[in-house]
């Protein structure tokens, strides 16, 4: 719109799907959320809207709002959860646990906390943590860890179903002869002695 004049308009072409919200990024691109799980990206060219890409937002459905942060990260609020999109156009899911219904809006406060509003569930505050979920970062399946030690630059985790390992520096999952040999074996204790030998206490092997 320029003044009171409608310069151009765009209607969703897919039947049963409509546009629901929009926002501009710092580059002047217009992101438009849909009632499905996609965000269409437009660029204004003269007096026309030119579609340049479309991003799928995983399992999200019914996008309600798009909110830009100061560092140009776009947060996505939807009927069944939330997510965000980085500058390179990559979508990431935000785990809000059971706070996953009718999320309408969000904002970031001066401490960096994320606040989400839901017309069904109320208010959710997500805070930065000094702890990292390193199993998730390393791409390992969730497991009960009985013992942990660092050996030869790697982290070793004794679990009820075997020995997991990852690079301590880069948090990348690793497999070697020891982890393969102890696959499925319950491990109760790990220890590194003064000669840098790794000792492993197991149940059944």
């Amino acid at each position: 719109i320029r003044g009171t004049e409608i310069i151009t308009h765009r209607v969703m072409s897919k039947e049963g799907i409509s546009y629901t919200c929009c926002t501009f990024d710092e580059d002047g691109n217009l992101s438009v959320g849909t009632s499905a799980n996609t965000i269409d990206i437009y660029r204004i060219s003269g007096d026309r809207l030119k579609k340049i890409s479309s991003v799928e937002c995983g399992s999200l459905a019914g996008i309600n709002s798009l909110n830009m942060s100061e560092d140009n990260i776009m947060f996505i609020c939807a009927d069944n959860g939330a997510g965000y999109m980085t500058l390179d156009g990559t979508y990431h899911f935000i785990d809000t646990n059971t706070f996953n219904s009718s999320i309408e809006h969000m904002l970031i406060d001066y401490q960096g906390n994320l606040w989400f509003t839901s017309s069904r569930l109320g208010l959710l505050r997500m805070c930065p943590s000094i702890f990292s979920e390193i199993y998730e970062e390393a791409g390992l399946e969730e497991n009960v860890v009985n013992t942990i030690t660092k050996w030869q630059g790697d982290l070793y985790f004794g679990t009820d179903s075997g020995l997991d390992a990852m690079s301590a520096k880069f948090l990348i999952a690793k497999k070697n002869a020891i982890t393969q040999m102890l696959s499925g074996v319950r491990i109760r204790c790990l220890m590194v002695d003064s000669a840098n030998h790794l000792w492993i206490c197991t149940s059944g092997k």
Side-chain angles (χ1 to χ4, degrees), residues 76-94:
I76 305 156
C77 298
D79 283 342
N80 63 342
Y84 67 93
M85 193 164 70
T86 51
L87 284 169
D88 61 359
T90 304
Y91 164 77
H92 302 269
F93 173 71
I94 297 177

Side-chain angles (χ1 to χ4, degrees), residues 24-78:
F24 280 99
D25 65 21
E26 65 179 16
D27 295 326
N29 295 324
L30 179 67
S31 297
V32 187
T34 71
S35 57
N37 74 328
T38 57
I39 297 172
D40 291 341
I41 314 294
Y42 288 96
R43 181 173 292 139
I44 295 178
S45 178
D47 286 340
R48 294 176 58 251
L49 286 170
K50 181 181 179 182
K51 185 175 177 179
I52 56 176
S53 65
S54 185
V55 178
E56 288 194 6
C57 299
S59 60
L60 291 189
I63 297 173
N64 294 314
S65 68
L66 304 174
N67 307 273
M68 297 299 298
S69 70
E70 289 183 358
D71 48 0
N72 217 31
I73 292 175
M74 183 168 63
F75 288 88
I76 305 156
C77 298

Side-chain angles (χ1 to χ4, degrees), residues 4-199:
T4 58
E5 180 187 2
I6 297 175
I7 303 301
T8 187
H9 71 282
R10 179 71 63 152
V11 178
M12 169 57 74
S13 58
K14 294 180 180 178
E15 189 175 345
I17 300 176
S18 59
Y19 285 136
T20 55
C21 54
C22 63
T23 189
F24 280 99
D25 65 21
E26 65 179 16
D27 295 326
N29 295 324
L30 179 67
S31 297
V32 187
T34 71
S35 57
N37 74 328
T38 57
I39 297 172
D40 291 341
I41 314 294
Y42 288 96
R43 181 173 292 139
I44 295 178
S45 178
D47 286 340
R48 294 176 58 251
L49 286 170
K50 181 181 179 182
K51 185 175 177 179
I52 56 176
S53 65
S54 185
V55 178
E56 288 194 6
C57 299
S59 60
L60 291 189
I63 297 173
N64 294 314
S65 68
L66 304 174
N67 307 273
M68 297 299 298
S69 70
E70 289 183 358
D71 48 0
N72 217 31
I73 292 175
M74 183 168 63
F75 288 88
I76 305 156
C77 298
D79 283 342
N80 63 342
Y84 67 93
M85 193 164 70
T86 51
L87 284 169
D88 61 359
T90 304
Y91 164 77
H92 302 269
F93 173 71
I94 297 177
D95 184 3
T96 54
N97 206 342
T98 57
F99 193 91
N100 58 1
S101 178
S102 301
I103 300 178
E104 306 288 345
H105 292 284
M106 71 81 60
L107 60 79
I108 305 173
D109 68 19
Y110 71 98
Q111 293 179 317
N113 301 313
L114 307 182
W115 295 81
F116 293 90
T117 64
S118 164
S119 57
R120 292 172 61 89
L121 301 172
L123 191 64
L124 170 70
R125 181 179 69 133
M126 298 187 76
C127 309
S129 173
I130 61 170
F131 300 101
S132 296
E133 183 58 67
I134 61 176
Y135 256 58
E136 185 176 310
E137 287 188 40
L140 289 169
E141 288 186 17
E142 198 172 288
N143 215 331
V144 176
V145 175
N146 302 316
T147 178
I148 179 174
T149 193
K150 187 176 182 180
W151 184 56
Q152 296 183 349
D154 294 328
L155 294 174
Y156 285 85
F157 305 86
T159 76
D160 285 349
S161 57
L163 185 68
D164 291 334
M166 69 177 72
S167 165
K169 186 174 182 180
F170 300 108
L171 298 185
I172 298 171
K174 302 183 78 172
K175 290 189 181 296
N176 55 34
I178 304 172
T179 61
Q180 291 171 356
M181 178 180 67
L182 294 172
S183 176
V185 177
R186 188 179 192 190
I187 298 170
R188 301 309 307 271
C189 185
L190 298 170
M191 188 194 78
V192 178
D193 66 18
S194 59
N196 200 34
H197 297 134
L198 176 64
W199 293 79

